[in-house]
Amino acid sequence: MYRVVEIVRTAAGNPPTFTERPPLRRRFEDKAPSPPLEGRSIPIIRARIAADLGVGVADVVIAGERGPLADRRVSRVLRDRAAREGVREEHFLTAPFELGVRQPDGRWLVVGTRQPFGLSDWQKRLALWFVLSALAMAPVAWIFARRLSAPIKGFATAAERLGRDPTAPPLALKGPIEIAQATRAFNEMQTRLRRYVEDRTAMMGAIAHDLRTPLTRLRFRIEGLPEDQRTKFASDLDQMEEMIAATLAFVRDTSRAGERTPLELSSLLESLCDEMAETGAPAEMEPGDKVVLVGDPMALRRLFANLLENAVKFGGRARARVFQDDTNVVVEIEDDGPGIPPQDAERVFEPFYRREPSRNRKTGGIGLGLAVVRSIARGHGGDVDLVNRPSGGLTARVLLPL
């Protein structure tokens, strides 16, 4: 703060010496300083300065900016401090301010504190208060954010786990009421999906099982037919029984909830290739990454066995490799066959679809092999697709999340 006497002495050309405060500066300007200060004491101070300098009150302007901390309470504190120091000056100005006195030539004599570089005092105090408050609240905010985000993170993890394992246990109901309600709805959805899949699978298995009884009766009834007709009927019945047996095997494998354990895919594929090579099938395993995956060993063994057998049967040779990308393990099984038309790349995964129209097992089987492959892959949260290679042959690519 600066007393009025000190400001008047500086304006008169006899500035006092300050030891703990910035000095007052005087300069001449063509315009009056702005913006004018307002307050109950400003007119009194203007009149006091005008009287001491021998000029009119209209020729005195007090300008400056007041921050949010420059209120009556701050002025009262400063006056009390001045009283304790023995200063009887009642009126004073707090920096930053500028006093303008009109000169006879029309210019203005400006007296004020040096403009600080950067933030003003009240801005520095406000910034310091904000920083200290932020540091004090940071641990509380971090704990609150962790407690709030933990249920959401668990909810996202459970949703991702449901895509890998439909039989995963339900989520625990905890957290805020909104999260608890969402968790309850998620658990109900998971239960309904599992029940729906189980009911559809059980219904398909029951139909396939019940079809065996009329097929058995038909076999007895065709015994009285002529030899040529009996042979044709028996061939059709054999194909129907093969389809029913394959359907029952498909239902049994897809409805069985196998235990998921860590397994190394390269070793699994290498053992399958060795078993096929022992029977004379040209299957080989290329060197690749050693990747450990949590999955159903029996289901994954059947998945890769079906792909290897298809590669040997339709492509003459099977070559398998395993590698890892950012979030998935990739298994590729190549053959040297003619490939498939692009329009059939998805249809071959449909149950009972066969590009070869006959139902002879020696020329293509029933048509459930690739359906089982995709069902197992998607049951582990992954997928499988078939890609024609530019150089010839087909590549079966299996993606499984780590």
Side-chain angles (χ1 to χ4, degrees):
M1 64 179 180
Y2 296 88
R3 293 181 296 160
V4 172
V5 173
E6 297 171 337
I7 299 173
V8 171
R9 286 181 58 185
T10 304
N14 186 24
T17 302
F18 302 102
T19 57
E20 297 181 356
R21 291 172 292 170
L24 292 173
R25 307 291 182 178
R26 62 193 303 268
R27 66 185 187 277
F28 290 93
E29 300 285 349
D30 294 332
K31 296 182 180 179
S34 61
L37 284 176
E38 298 179 356
R40 290 192 309 172
S41 62
I42 295 300
I44 301 175
I45 296 175
R46 289 178 59 203
R48 170 74 180 277
I49 293 174
D52 291 345
L53 294 177
V55 297
V57 177
D59 295 329
V60 178
V61 175
I62 300 176
E65 294 182 356
R66 287 291 183 261
L69 301 180
D71 54 12
R72 294 181 180 178
R73 289 172 296 178
V74 175
S75 299
R76 187 179 301 113
V77 171
L78 294 176
R79 281 197 296 268
D80 293 342
R81 178 182 175 184
R84 287 195 302 268
E85 294 177 356
V87 179
R88 295 184 179 181
E89 178 70 46
E90 180 181 358
H91 301 295
F92 56 85
L93 293 175
T94 57
F97 69 88
E98 286 186 336
L99 168 69
V101 181
R102 192 199 310 267
Q103 302 298 302
D105 59 359
R107 294 193 303 167
W108 289 82
L109 170 64
V110 179
V111 176
T113 57
R114 181 186 296 272
Q115 184 67 25
F117 179 77
L119 301 178
S120 60
D121 292 340
W122 71 266
Q123 290 174 331
K124 292 178 181 178
R125 290 193 293 269
L126 184 63
L128 179 61
W129 176 85
F130 178 79
V131 171
L132 293 178
S133 300
L135 291 177
M137 290 298 297
V140 179
W142 182 81
I143 295 174
F144 179 77
R146 286 293 301 270
R147 290 177 62 88
L148 183 63
S149 63
I152 300 176
K153 183 179 179 181
F155 191 80
T157 302
E160 192 272 339
R161 183 179 59 191
L162 177 62
R164 299 189 183 191
D165 185 9
T167 62
L171 282 174
L173 296 176
K174 60 182 180 179
I177 184 172
E178 294 81 3
I179 298 297
Q181 291 176 351
T183 302
R184 187 180 297 108
F186 180 84
N187 290 338
E188 293 176 357
M189 179 194 68
Q190 180 179 356
T191 302
R192 292 188 185 123
L193 286 175
R194 183 165 55 244
R195 188 185 304 121
Y196 173 78
V197 173
E198 291 174 352
D199 291 345
R200 292 291 298 269
T201 304
M203 180 182 65
M204 188 170 62
I207 294 174
H209 182 272
D210 292 343
L211 284 176
R212 286 186 165 182
T213 301
L215 285 178
T216 303
R217 289 199 299 264
L218 286 175
R219 284 192 177 278
F220 283 111
R221 291 175 180 176
I222 65 174
E223 293 297 328
L225 296 177
E227 180 67 23
D228 56 344
Q229 295 183 3
R230 186 168 67 247
T231 302
K232 295 179 181 180
F233 276 109
S235 176
D236 292 338
L237 291 176
D238 289 340
Q239 292 181 9
M240 293 181 65
E241 285 189 350
E242 290 178 356
M243 295 177 65
I244 292 173
T247 302
L248 290 175
F250 175 77
V251 171
R252 181 178 63 253
D253 293 337
T254 55
S255 61
R256 178 181 61 87
E259 180 181 359
R260 302 200 173 191
T261 59
L263 69 154
E264 206 278 300
L265 288 184
S266 297
S267 300
L268 175 62
L269 281 163
E270 187 174 359
S271 64
L272 289 173
C273 291
D274 292 341
E275 292 175 2
M276 295 181 66
E278 291 175 357
T279 61
E284 60 183 12
M285 177 70 187
E286 297 181 0
D289 299 337
K290 300 292 183 180
V291 182
V292 177
L293 178 74
V294 177
D296 184 353
M298 296 301 297
L300 291 176
R301 185 179 182 85
R302 183 175 184 187
L303 183 156
F304 296 124
N306 284 353
L307 292 178
L308 290 170
E309 291 173 359
N310 284 348
V312 173
K313 182 184 299 183
F314 300 107
R317 177 181 295 275
R319 292 184 300 275
R321 70 174 65 93
V322 179
F323 59 92
Q324 179 181 348
D325 60 11
D326 294 336
T327 58
N328 300 300
V329 55
V330 182
V331 180
E332 292 183 344
I333 298 177
E334 298 179 349
D335 62 44
D336 297 332
I340 60 174
Q343 63 270 19
D344 289 341
E346 286 295 321
R347 294 193 61 190
V348 293
F349 291 102
E350 298 175 2
F352 300 110
Y353 176 78
R354 298 176 70 254
R355 296 189 60 245
E356 197 275 328
S358 73
R359 289 294 172 181
N360 189 343
R361 278 186 176 271
K362 297 181 179 180
T363 60
I366 300 300
L368 284 176
L370 290 178
V372 171
V373 166
R374 173 161 281 183
S375 176
I376 295 173
R378 290 182 173 177
H380 284 74
D383 208 346
V384 58
D385 57 356
L386 302 178
V387 180
N388 289 316
R389 299 204 317 276
S391 59
L394 187 70
T395 298
R397 181 179 292 109
V398 182
L399 273 73
L400 297 174
L402 294 172

